[in-house]
Amino acid sequence: MDRIDCAVIGAGVVGLAIARALAAAGREVLILEAENAIGTQTSARNSEVIHAGISYAPGSLKGRLCVAGKAAMYAYCEERGIGHRRIGKLVVATQESDLPDLEKYLALAAAQGVTDLQRLSAAEARAMEPAVACVGALFSPSTGIVDSHGLMLAYLGDAERHGAVLAPRSPVTHGEATADGIVLRAGRGDGATELLCTTVVNAAGLGAQRVARAIAGMPAAQVPPLYYAVGHYFTLARSSPFKHLVYPTNREGDLRAHVTVDLGGQCKFGPDLSWRESMDYQFDASREAAFYQAVRRYYPGLREGDLQPGYTGIRPRLQGPGSSLQDGANDFVIQGTAQHGIAGLVNLFGIESPGLTSSLALGNYVAALVARQGAAA
Ligand SMILES: Cc1cc2nc3c(=O)[nH]c(=O)nc-3n(C[C@H](O)[C@H](O)[C@H](O)COP(=O)(O)OP(=O)(O)OC[C@H]3O[C@@H](n4cnc5c(N)ncnc54)[C@H](O)[C@@H]3O)c2cc1C
């Protein structure tokens, strides 16, 4: 059986950022990825927004890692020439009763140390985005967009420069905690191998619960439930009337059809939220009517035929329907030995948005946890 220092399971943006941080810290790293290539799951099916950190519960990991990750992301993208733009975001109230929500965002942002939000009148917002109808808005100048694929390639390149090795087509199917380390079984059929690992980081995204359950010795009670929270995107079938991202305030029961614009200038609306029983990316075109209605709330110029089916992504939620982002219940969960009792194992669960923004900070956080666990052993 081969012996290795650190195995990182999952080559999405988070696993790659962790592999990069561990390899840069001098650790031997093997990245085990089930698919043929890096970043084909949630990391390829998102909004590519660098979030400012204005809507997370105070003290939450999401809030802290988003704010730290945002700063690190801009610096990294500048340094490495990765496509990104600090285009800014308008949060718009479309009726008087939504205005108090803007104050809530201001308070939440301030609690995270995000102090650059600007309160705008309807006229000021319209001067920035003439197509938007609103009664008031906030402007977040530090929200941006990034080329997530370029970012992942850069993380992998950094990790490989420090000696890390990527093993695609290597699904982890089984594990066992032993006195010598964690034995992982990876690969399919005759090509499967067993590895004895000092450290295992489970960054398998939507597969993280399945991986954790497959590790003999992992207490079942420590594996949180997984809810498949699907988001649909519709694209705009003409050039974008928007220069910024535009998010309506969250209204109970409303579809969350934000405007995002990618680096190529393509405008899309979404992601909304619906629930599925499995990892099913099928696009449900019947959501179109609800999108027209929701988008016209802030963009009355949307014409029939403007919306084209785009794609879906799935958030790995730990709480089901009815849970709120603001109540802290939907925070990232990062478990080390102190939580589950297995030496050398780190599990990441529920790494939904802002996981992309937070990726560099998540990498550093997990590398520090691994170092502490090693020092304590
Ligand atoms: C609709 C949507 C919009 C989003 N928008 C944003 C945004 O604008 N900004 C932002 O900051 N965040 C956003 N996010 C969140 C962000 O996309 C995720 O947090 C991030 O991509 C998660 O990365 P990951 O590496 O944890 O997961 P993934 O990208 O899913 O990677 C996990 C990897 O593990 C592999 N894997 C699974 N099981 C196994 C196994 N048994 N063995 C080996 N490998 C395995 C998978 O193949 C996959 O490659 C969004 C998410 C969604 C769903």
Side-chain angles (χ1 to χ4, degrees), residues 9-15 32-35 37-51 170-173 203-208 211 229 231 233 247 271 313-316 332 351-358:
I9 306 173
V13 72
V14 173
L32 298 165
E33 168 54 50
E35 302 293 333
I38 64 168
T40 62
Q41 302 299 313
T42 308
S43 299
R45 295 170 165 274
N46 58 59
S47 306
E48 298 189 299
V49 171
I50 302 174
H51 286 296
S170 301
V172 172
T173 55
L206 290 159
V211 166
Y233 293 88
Y247 283 44
I314 306 179
R315 308 162 182 93
F332 296 155
I351 312 298
E352 53 168 333
S353 192
L356 172 65
T357 309
S358 308

Side-chain angles (χ1 to χ4, degrees), residues 237-253:
R238 55 191 167 89
S239 59
S240 175
F242 306 106
K243 292 193 189 66
H244 308 90
L245 309 177
V246 181
Y247 283 44
T249 55
N250 283 337
R251 198 182 295 163
E252 198 61 40

Side-chain angles (χ1 to χ4, degrees), residues 328-348:
N330 266 314
D331 204 3
F332 296 155
V333 171
I334 302 178
Q335 296 176 339
T337 308
Q339 284 75 41
H340 49 58
I342 300 183
L345 177 65
V346 176
N347 288 314
L348 288 90

Side-chain angles (χ1 to χ4, degrees), residues 227-232 272-276 284 287 313-315 321:
Y227 296 90
Y228 300 89
V230 179
H232 286 73
D272 65 347
L273 175 64
S274 57
W275 303 90
R276 288 194 181 153
D284 176 5
R287 304 188 75 78
I314 306 179
R315 308 162 182 93

